[in-house]
């Protein structure tokens, strides 16, 4: 078990803090004119995604973790589990649906490459490898001409069930590119 002092924490390092696995987003060493020096750290909980800013004693030591990011192909859904395949050794990994929440509308069987975050044989989360994904429109509302007071938009349903707003010229059967971070329309594919 490798230990790391708070003074050595840098962005990207994962460590144990109050029973959880946290990743450093930003750190700053502060030595006020009066009092003890402190490490100011902004960090993200890798299990639930919450972001916290706290101060740590620079001399405290924490358990350091190595996070393994594995590229895997989404294969299929099996009840409550999503099954991913490692493309190098063809091993399969079942991931509970609770880890998929952020990207489930972007997973296409046999096509989507995902990053699975693993720390000490425990799955921390799954995300799509790409920031933008091409999906097919399966249902589109008809364009209403008078609906142009601001930007003319309509709702469409994509092949994965995601409903987003797009420009009026998008029709059923079109392939569009969607930004994974904010579920927004980018362009036609």
């Amino acid at each position: 078990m490798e230990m790391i002092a708070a003074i050595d924490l840098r962005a990207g390092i994962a460590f144990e803090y109050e029973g959880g696995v946290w990743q450093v987003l930003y750190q700053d060493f502060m030595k006020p004119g009066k009092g003890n020096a402190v490490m100011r750290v902004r960090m993200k909980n890798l299990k639930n995604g919450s972001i916290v800013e706290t101060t740590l004693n620079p001399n405290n030591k924490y358990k350091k973790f190595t996070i393994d990011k594995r590229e895997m192909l989404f294969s299929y859904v099996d009840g409550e589990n999503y099954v991913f395949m490692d493309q190098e050794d063809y091993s399969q990994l079942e991931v509970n649906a609770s880890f998929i929440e952020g990207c489930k509308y972007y997973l296409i069987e046999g096509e989507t490459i995902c990053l699975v975050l693993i720390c000490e044989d425990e799955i921390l989360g799954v995300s799509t490898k790409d920031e933008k994904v091409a999906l097919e429109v399966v249902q589109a509302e008809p364009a209403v001409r008078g609906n142009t007071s601001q930007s003319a938009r309509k709702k469409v349903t994509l092949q994965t069930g995601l409903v987003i707003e797009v420009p009026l010229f998008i029709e059923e059967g079109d392939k569009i590119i969607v930004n994974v971070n904010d579920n927004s329309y980018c362009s036609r594919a």
Side-chain angles (χ1 to χ4, degrees):
M1 165 171 65
E2 186 180 351
M3 300 296 281
I4 186 167
I7 191 101
D8 296 324
L9 292 175
R10 300 288 178 260
I13 291 178
F15 67 104
E16 183 177 29
Y17 179 72
E18 294 182 351
V21 179
W22 296 79
Q23 185 173 32
V24 177
L25 301 175
Y26 169 81
Q27 92 291 337
D28 187 25
F29 179 77
M30 292 182 51
K31 173 73 172 110
K34 202 174 194 183
N36 297 330
V38 293
M39 285 296 297
R40 192 178 202 166
V41 181
R42 179 178 292 132
M43 54 194 184
K44 178 180 181 180
N45 186 319
L46 294 177
K47 293 193 183 209
N48 64 23
S50 64
I51 295 176
V52 174
E53 191 165 319
T54 189
T55 56
L56 304 173
N57 181 330
N59 300 322
N60 287 356
K61 294 194 181 286
Y62 300 95
K63 182 179 177 185
K64 184 177 177 183
F65 289 109
T66 302
I67 297 175
D68 184 24
K69 291 181 182 179
R70 294 174 56 188
E71 279 189 22
M72 301 186 94
L73 177 70
F74 171 61
S75 294
Y76 59 93
V77 178
D78 182 22
E80 284 290 312
N81 293 323
Y82 287 67
V83 180
F84 295 87
M85 181 182 70
D86 191 324
Q87 294 184 297
E88 292 178 14
D89 62 5
Y90 302 108
S91 63
Q92 291 190 342
L93 178 68
E94 287 190 10
V95 178
N96 189 291
S98 63
F99 294 105
I100 310 292
E101 288 304 313
C103 67
K104 71 180 182 182
Y105 288 115
Y106 303 104
L107 300 179
I108 302 171
E109 292 184 3
E111 291 183 29
T112 309
I113 303 291
C114 296
L115 292 176
V116 180
L117 300 176
I118 301 172
C119 180
E120 294 191 345
D121 297 328
E122 185 179 342
I123 297 167
L124 296 176
V126 177
S127 62
T128 56
K129 180 182 174 194
D130 299 319
E131 220 175 89
K132 297 179 181 178
V133 178
L135 297 170
E136 184 178 344
V137 176
V138 293
Q139 182 181 0
E141 293 178 354
V144 180
R145 269 197 168 307
N147 186 16
T148 58
S149 62
Q150 292 162 346
S151 62
R153 317 250 323 147
K154 66 179 181 179
K155 291 186 186 245
V156 298
T157 304
L158 304 175
Q159 71 193 76
T160 58
L162 180 66
V163 177
I164 65 169
E165 287 191 353
V166 298
L168 294 176
F169 59 82
I170 301 295
E171 300 294 330
E172 273 184 38
D174 288 352
K175 277 205 163 227
I176 62 172
I177 295 175
V178 180
N179 186 324
V180 174
N181 297 324
D182 59 3
N183 297 340
S184 63
Y185 167 83
C186 293
S187 65
R188 282 186 171 163

